Amino acid sequence: MLTNKAMGLIFANMHSSSVGNMTAQRTMASLPFAGRYRLVDFCLSSFVRGGLREVGVIVKENYHSLMNHLGSGKEWDLSRKIAGLMVYPPFIGSLSGTVYHGKIAALYNVLPYIKESGSKHVVLADCDHVSNFNTAELVNNHIDNGADVTILCYEQQNKDEGGLNATSVLRDENGRVIDIDFNRPPKENYLVSMNIMVINRELLIELVEDAYSHRMIVLERDILQHHIKDLFINTVVYDGFVRRINSVQSYFTSSMSLLEPDNRKCLFDPLKPIYTKVNDDAPARYGIGCNVKNSLVADGCIIEGEIENCLLFRGAKVRSGSVLKNCIIMQDTVIEEGASLSYVIADKEVKIGKDRSLMGYESYPLYIQKGSVV
Amino acid sequence: MLTNKAMGLIFANMHSSSVGNMTAQRTMASLPFAGRYRLVDFCLSSFVRGGLREVGVIVKENYHSLMNHLGSGKEWDLSRKIAGLMVYPPFIGSLSGTVYHGKIAALYNVLPYIKESGSKHVVLADCDHVSNFNTAELVNNHIDNGADVTILCYEQQNKDEGGLNATSVLRDENGRVIDIDFNRPPKENYLVSMNIMVINRELLIELVEDAYSHRMIVLERDILQHHIKDLFINTVVYDGFVRRINSVQSYFTSSMSLLEPDNRKCLFDPLKPIYTKVNDDAPARYGIGCNVKNSLVADGCIIEGEIENCLLFRGAKVRSGSVLKNCIIMQDTVIEEGASLSYVIADKEVKIGKDRSLMGYESYPLYIQKGSVV
Amino acid sequence: MKETIAMLLAGGQGSRLYALTQTIAKPAVPYGGKYRIIDFPLSNCINSGIDTVGVLTQYQPLELNAYIGDGRPWDLDRLEGGVHVLSPYQKIEGSDWYRGTANAIYQNFGFIEKYNPEYVLILSGDHIYKMNYSKMVDLLKKTDASVVISVLEVPKEEASRFGIMNTDKDDVIIDFEEKPEFPKSNLASMGIYLFRWDVLNKYLEDDNNNPNSSNDFGKDVIPALLNTGKKLVAYRFEGYWKDVGTIDSLWEANMDLINPNVPFDIWADDWRIYCRNPGRPPQYVSNDAVIQNSIATAGSSIDGNVDFSVIFDGVEIHKNATVRDSIIMPGSIVEEGAEVHYSIIAEDVVIKKGAKVGERPENMDDIENWGVSVVAAGLTIGEGAFVRPKAMVYDSVGEGEEC
Amino acid sequence: MKETIAMLLAGGQGSRLYALTQTIAKPAVPYGGKYRIIDFPLSNCINSGIDTVGVLTQYQPLELNAYIGDGRPWDLDRLEGGVHVLSPYQKIEGSDWYRGTANAIYQNFGFIEKYNPEYVLILSGDHIYKMNYSKMVDLLKKTDASVVISVLEVPKEEASRFGIMNTDKDDVIIDFEEKPEFPKSNLASMGIYLFRWDVLNKYLEDDNNNPNSSNDFGKDVIPALLNTGKKLVAYRFEGYWKDVGTIDSLWEANMDLINPNVPFDIWADDWRIYCRNPGRPPQYVSNDAVIQNSIATAGSSIDGNVDFSVIFDGVEIHKNATVRDSIIMPGSIVEEGAEVHYSIIAEDVVIKKGAKVGERPENMDDIENWGVSVVAAGLTIGEGAFVRPKAMVYDSVGEGEEC
């Protein structure tokens, strides 16, 4: 039987706290994005297209919506007889009895599964970056270079986008990482990590067991930085569209950047499709007298009002006489007649009443929680 | 769209403690039984054949093996686009932060799902009874009689089989339950509950919310017994093969009772198939000089020795010169040459070395834990 | 094992759709922005609780086969039952393509027997409608009929285009006339038959043994049932129903989705229409676009003017292009300044800059030459070319040419 | 999108299996206690990393279709790719059953094109073997060949029964002879071809345009490739391989599983053979049974004497019955005191009390009349009846009768 080159492991809850109330009832992985996706879709799709047949999703809390989204994994072709998709909830009773903190403990918790896998390598990924990276290329580069660890990273495009939680790396002339920096804006010449890396499976097991027994918590700091001399830490530079979600504001600007055709073309390359759960919405309906400019509209929307620079998720309804500018309207949210919204992110199933007026700012978009009635 | 008559809810961990070390690393629901099944298979198969399209499995701890067994639910035709199988791990973070105790708290934990369901009724089931009951009949009886709750029960066949954890009920001449008795051998004229019942969904929600807020724990005692006057608690009597697993000893005798052709015919009626995970074993191989008497043998076994009154699970290997009498040998366990075993339950992946001799008694079968090397 | 199974006749080439069914079977023709015709009977089945469907086809089934796949989009991927495509095959006694609708069912008795149903529902793959078939089952049980036939009241003046059922006051069918000159009633057969399996079995066996039969349900089997005194009951369907067997009716059925006065709502949650999802990102409407009174679907991108039109996935309408009263099927592109009026543009067509397809009736002098224009899949209409109204275009049209 | 896809020729009736293929195609014939022949190539595909397989069939595909279903037993239910059964169909230019192996592939170019593969692997559905096809792909890449053909060394004296490849020292094929009287080598073609897709495309197009061709790979396409100087390389397969196209070879291939001296191990974990599982409870061996040197599978129940035999699921061997050197297919029953020797009993046969099927060669006077007896599916062999050795039984045999 063919042994798979690599298995995938996705950390669903990492960075959840960075987007505030948006993850009050969901994981970072299940944060809705781009009209019909969840953040986990980008990672899962890339894994599957790259030939990974065994993918584990490590969850810690608030994972109702994620489990519901993933279902049997069929939409990503991961409802397999052999291997496939596995969700790993924290296994109470089997280990210490409390829920883990940090990536090392999370990995330690699923070590039995990692040990059982027949794969040579493990691809680890957080869900805080939106991109359409090439998993096959990443893994092959890792193998061809004989690296111990390979970090996927990108060149910092904009000084402002760094900040909170960023991990960045400095390479020598051979592409080998010689410094790792944490939780601050990347320095000059440093590459930003996409929080996606490949590591040899047996090495990972050894490092995690060792680190866990020494009560270490952060993978990048306590393992990678620590072993920077004795491990060959390699990098692959991704040069396509990539956005990091580390705040409500960056969620907003990342979403709005999709109004640029080039960004869409890169993220939604038809040859590299992003799979997601199917919702069976009817087509979007544009009513008499509606006015739609520079907007992304998902299926199932009914638009009778006016929208400009907006992103409408599946089933959003914009009644006649309402005006929306620079807004993100999530699934099944209804904007009633005569309402006026600007720089608003309305989560799922929100109701904005007749003639209401809500205004945020580009630097501080107004976020309205799931199910709110305004 | 057709609304389903009923949804199913299975309690995977209930009664786990009654079989001691057999559930050290698994749930009651994933206890192997009858050569290739797990206890949950009997319940799930009956649900699915009875038309239930939405089944939740509530797990509390030790659920690695169960999640692995269930996979996407495809084997039970529950990998559905609409509804299907859902495993509910304890949701830490969303509720009080600790793992629940008792069925009421477990139900309270999954109330959001019960509330979302479009079904009129809920079938609740523990996994401690082995039978091939008729879910459709149970639900239809419940509906036709306009009952609030309908308990599936059976007539006590053998005084000795009661005991630990048994719930029993007394009916009046109209079939209405007038007394419920707990945790002791059923009294004369009492029927034994199979720990399977139907209840109106909205009533269940109301009762659970009420009971939880009053810190009640046991569904049967704190809700049913409590409301015995104001609820119409109905019964359906099952008269086919049924065995209750409430100890290692009853596990042994229940298993051995399948050596009776009539019991097998009832439990494994080809018109009411029991679905389970497929393992892709090759056929069983009977070697030169083997001697097999009154035994059940699963696929993938290789038998070169002598077995009598035995139950061999998938992939068990009995080497030449070994002699097994009244034994249950689970998956991939190997009995080496010359070994001699009597009244032994060997769990999965056990190795019994050459010429070893192990002996239990009918009243006290010897249990050997998973993975042991003897 | 199954109470009711459905047999869906999807075999027809649909020759009256001409250019649209050159390489695909009629049930696979795109409709309504993201659907194919077959989505409607399949969705009706699952919504009616029927989870076993045989799809009978022999004409260009590759695309239909791939589209149906494992049946999951309709929740029809089942361990027992589910949806299965049935093609003609060879037996030891020889082999035969399907002759007539009744023969197609007859050749697949083996499939039906496997499920040993009480009732067999015969459907066809060329109608757009939402219908709860379980009501026909209820009626059959209640009236103890052998067959229940779904009927629709049509305007008297159109009745002679249909098969007309005459019924008594209890809706028992007295006689049946195929396209009568002087119709005795206005109850038209919708081509949906619910048979008791034993009755179907016997009458198709007889029909197969009758050398004079054309092996058609309407022409042969239903009359035979009536002649031998079987009880046939009409089920009166109320609601939207459209045969999309012609270019005009296909165009109309699409436009009906936009028309607020037509009571046909695919947005309602209580009777979803499922389809295989193309999996594209949301549609984009640019600053230069004007879109109204239209429906559009994921993956399309609109820079031009769209009015009273149906836009499928992956369609691009470029700047200053105009699409009105038209249907643009998946992947087609209307380039800058091009115009499309009253047309059906099949899949992956490119309409080059400044080309014009179709015409508005108000601009016509000779109105009898006006009609819906059709461009077949994969063609290119060259820069500045003109496709006349009512044209049926099978080949690409060169730059500046007229056709 | 896919590097290699496989096309499995499962069209043949398998007429030399006579009674066993009356209502099923050869690849659906049961084998080895729980398999069907087609499980071997399908399992080989998935184990070799090939996840896209077209199964070409036109003879009695119903059972094969149902058996393959969504492909899940072989992990071949894929969003992209997976296993698909391809039947002949009608096109606008007319329609045709498959003529020859090459024509069957040619008619399904549409399917291949959809995946746009580099290589196309041509397999047949009547061989029992375990083989890693990816090694053929490696060899093709390494040698830059147009086609790689899998070959097996056969004993010189049997070579004239096969298609024989003559190769140079680098295993490049110099010529090919179909069943040569005087074979120049002992490298027999296994009927497994790995083509570059562009080469296959061109040569099948040519073959289709050649009115004198019989449209067969061995007879027409391979010679045409050699004649035009294409580089064909032989891949030397080592291991167990058996053509099960005849009653005797099917019987032998089953017995090979029991024979400890035959190096063919389906119990090994490193190359699993998958099948659609009948889902039965474990087999039961009673106090009265004697079973040795045999394989048996779930759902069977053994009360009698079984030796050197292959017992499928659901088979019952009653008390005092004897089954030796035989194959009993799913659901068949051997009643009390009945005897079965050197026989293949197809599915759902009942052998009544005291009946005898087949004979042991050591008990025969006229050994040339001896051979394996075959009883077709669903028959009853009456009480005390006798089925002669080498008999091919198509109809039930009455009480006490001889046949």
Side-chain angles (χ1 to χ4, degrees), chain A residues 135-299:
Chain A
T135 299
E137 213 174 275
L138 174 67
V139 172
N140 290 334
N141 184 301
H142 176 78
I143 294 170
D144 295 346
N145 283 304
D148 294 310
V149 179
T150 299
I151 300 176
L152 186 64
C153 34
Y154 60 101
E155 290 184 18
Q156 39 183 326
Q157 296 143 321
N158 185 334
K159 281 278 175 196
D160 302 342
E161 286 170 12
L164 190 62
N165 287 343
T167 299
S168 55
V169 298
L170 182 68
R171 307 191 293 173
D172 67 11
E173 63 278 16
N174 303 319
R176 178 172 177 148
V177 171
I178 51 173
D179 188 33
I180 307 184
D181 203 41
F182 304 95
N183 288 342
R184 49 174 174 173
K187 291 188 238 171
E188 200 72 31
N189 297 325
Y190 277 58
L191 295 165
V192 186
S193 163
M194 283 171 67
N195 294 331
I196 293 165
M197 67 178 84
V198 199
I199 181 164
N200 295 29
R201 190 177 60 91
E202 296 193 350
L203 175 66
L204 178 69
I205 294 168
E206 194 191 310
L207 290 173
V208 168
E209 285 185 335
D210 185 59
Y212 186 77
S213 73
H214 291 85
R215 293 179 171 276
M216 292 170 177
I217 293 170
V218 181
L219 177 74
E220 288 83 356
R221 184 189 63 201
D222 300 337
I223 294 185
L224 298 188
Q225 175 70 281
H226 187 70
H227 289 282
I228 203 158
K229 294 247 162 69
D230 44 297
L231 292 179
F232 171 18
I233 303 178
N234 172 38
T235 49
V236 166
V237 180
Y238 173 74
D239 61 0
F241 173 85
V242 55
R243 285 295 182 280
R244 199 152 80 85
I245 316 284
N246 58 0
S247 62
V248 175
Q249 218 258 324
S250 63
Y251 174 82
F252 184 80
T253 53
S254 300
S255 298
M256 287 305 171
S257 72
L258 293 176
L259 295 175
E260 286 297 320
D262 287 348
N263 291 341
R264 281 203 309 281
K265 210 171 277 175
C266 181
L267 189 60
F268 298 117
D269 184 341
L271 296 176
K272 305 192 289 178
I274 306 295
Y275 307 114
T276 189
K277 187 181 176 192
V278 172
N279 264 25
D280 296 305
D281 291 290
R285 197 167 65 188
Y286 297 85
I288 297 179
C290 78
N291 188 355
V292 181
K293 298 287 173 200
N294 193 38
S295 292
L296 281 165
V297 177
D299 281 0

Side-chain angles (χ1 to χ4, degrees), chain C residues 120-136:
Chain C
V120 179
L121 180 68
I122 311 290
L123 300 171
S124 73
D126 37 14
H127 301 141
I128 302 291
Y129 63 116
K130 302 201 285 188
M131 179 172 174
N132 189 342
Y133 303 131
S134 68
K135 291 188 179 167
M136 290 179 72

Side-chain angles (χ1 to χ4, degrees), chain B residues 116-343:
Chain B
E116 265 172 30
S117 166
S119 303
K120 284 244 173 62
H121 305 278
V122 184
V123 188
L124 303 174
D126 298 350
C127 291
D128 62 334
H129 282 79
V130 175
S131 76
N132 198 343
F133 66 99
N134 189 325
T135 299
E137 213 174 277
L138 174 66
V139 173
N140 288 334
N141 184 299
H142 176 78
I143 294 170
D144 295 347
N145 283 304
D148 294 311
V149 179
T150 300
I151 299 176
L152 186 64
C153 34
Y154 59 100
E155 290 184 20
Q156 36 183 326
Q157 297 143 321
N158 186 334
K159 281 277 177 197
D160 302 342
E161 286 171 15
L164 189 62
N165 287 345
T167 298
S168 56
V169 299
L170 182 68
R171 309 190 291 174
D172 67 11
E173 63 278 15
N174 303 317
R176 177 173 177 147
V177 171
I178 51 173
D179 188 33
I180 307 185
D181 203 41
F182 303 96
N183 288 342
R184 51 175 173 171
K187 293 188 235 167
E188 198 73 30
N189 296 326
Y190 277 58
L191 294 165
V192 186
S193 163
M194 282 170 69
N195 294 332
I196 293 166
M197 67 177 83
V198 199
I199 181 163
N200 295 32
R201 190 177 59 93
E202 296 194 352
L203 175 67
L204 178 69
I205 293 169
E206 194 190 309
L207 291 173
V208 167
E209 285 185 336
D210 186 59
Y212 186 77
S213 73
H214 290 86
R215 294 181 170 275
M216 293 169 175
I217 293 169
V218 181
L219 177 74
E220 289 83 355
R221 185 188 63 198
D222 300 336
I223 295 185
L224 298 189
Q225 176 68 284
H226 187 70
H227 288 280
I228 204 157
K229 293 249 160 68
D230 44 298
L231 292 179
F232 171 18
I233 304 178
N234 172 39
T235 48
V236 165
V237 180
Y238 173 75
D239 61 0
F241 172 85
V242 53
R243 286 295 182 281
R244 199 152 79 85
I245 315 285
N246 58 1
S247 62
V248 174
Q249 218 256 325
S250 63
Y251 174 83
F252 184 80
T253 53
S254 301
S255 299
M256 287 306 171
S257 71
L258 293 176
L259 294 176
E260 286 297 320
D262 287 348
N263 291 342
R264 281 204 308 280
K265 211 171 277 177
C266 181
L267 189 61
F268 298 116
D269 184 341
L271 296 176
K272 304 193 289 176
I274 306 296
Y275 307 113
T276 189
K277 188 180 175 192
V278 171
N279 263 24
D280 296 304
D281 291 290
R285 198 167 65 190
Y286 297 85
I288 297 179
C290 78
N291 188 356
V292 181
K293 297 287 174 202
N294 192 38
S295 293
L296 281 165
V297 176
D299 282 0
C301 289
I302 299 181
I303 307 176
E304 292 153 345
E306 207 177 314
I307 67 172
E308 191 175 347
N309 307 332
C310 286
L311 218 159
L312 266 52
F313 282 67
R314 301 192 265 211
K317 279 158 201 75
V318 179
R319 302 282 183 224
S320 68
S322 59
V323 179
L324 277 66
K325 292 197 169 158
N326 306 300
C327 289
I328 298 175
I329 307 297
M330 293 194 197
Q331 201 175 323
D332 293 330
T333 280
V334 181
I335 315 295
E336 292 292 355
E337 284 156 35
S340 165
L341 276 67
S342 177
Y343 291 105

Side-chain angles (χ1 to χ4, degrees), chain B residues 34-37 74 259 264 268 278-290 292-299, chain D residues 32 34-35 70 72 266-267 272 274 277 279-287 289 291-298:
Chain B
R36 62 189 296 256
Y37 304 94
K74 184 82 182 180
L259 294 176
R264 281 204 308 280
F268 298 116
V278 171
N279 263 24
D280 296 304
D281 291 290
R285 198 167 65 190
Y286 297 85
I288 297 179
C290 78
V292 181
K293 297 287 174 202
N294 192 38
S295 293
L296 281 165
V297 176
D299 282 0
Chain D
K34 66 186 295 190
Y35 305 99
D70 65 355
R72 186 170 173 91
I266 52 171
W267 287 268
R272 288 267 180 142
Y274 302 103
N277 204 293
R280 300 288 195 92
Q283 51 204 279
Y284 177 69
V285 180
S286 82
N287 266 325
I291 176 168
Q292 282 195 4
N293 322 306
S294 293
I295 62 179
T297 188

Side-chain angles (χ1 to χ4, degrees), chain A residues 68-96:
Chain A
N68 198 11
H69 179 69
L70 296 174
S72 67
K74 182 84 181 176
E75 317 292 353
W76 301 267
D77 207 19
L78 284 171
S79 166
R80 301 249 55 79
K81 187 181 173 186
I82 302 162
L85 181 73
M86 213 39 193
V87 176
Y88 303 124
F91 290 106
I92 301 131
S94 55
L95 284 172
S96 59

